[in-house]
Amino acid sequence: MVIEKKNIVSDNSAKVNLKNRILNFKASTSSSFGDASEWQQNQRSDSELPIL
C-alpha cells in the first residue's frame, strides 16, 4: 500500500479554480447507464400490490 501525502491548498484562488474545474466538468461520452430520468419514472410508477 502506498501512502502519499498531498500538500493542502491554502491559496484561496487555487481553491476557487479547483472548484470551478470540478463544476465545469463535462464527460466526453454519454452515460452507459441510459436515461436516468426514465429509469426513475419506471421505478416510481404505480405497481400492482398483492391483496392480502
Side-chain angles (χ1 to χ4, degrees), residues 34-43:
D35 185 10
S37 64
E38 181 181 342
W39 176 85
Q40 186 177 29
Q41 288 174 353
N42 289 337
Q43 293 299 312

Side-chain angles (χ1 to χ4, degrees), residues 1-3 7 11-15 19 21 26-27 30-32 35 38 43 50-51:
M1 176 184 287
V2 177
I3 299 174
N7 294 333
D11 184 15
N12 193 29
S13 64
K15 287 181 184 179
K19 179 182 174 185
R21 283 181 53 204
K26 295 187 193 270
S30 62
S31 172
S32 62
D35 185 10
E38 181 181 342
Q43 293 299 312
I51 298 176

Side-chain angles (χ1 to χ4, degrees), residues 6-18:
K6 297 283 185 176
N7 294 333
I8 297 173
V9 178
S10 61
D11 184 15
N12 193 29
S13 64
K15 287 181 184 179
V16 171
N17 288 339
L18 180 60

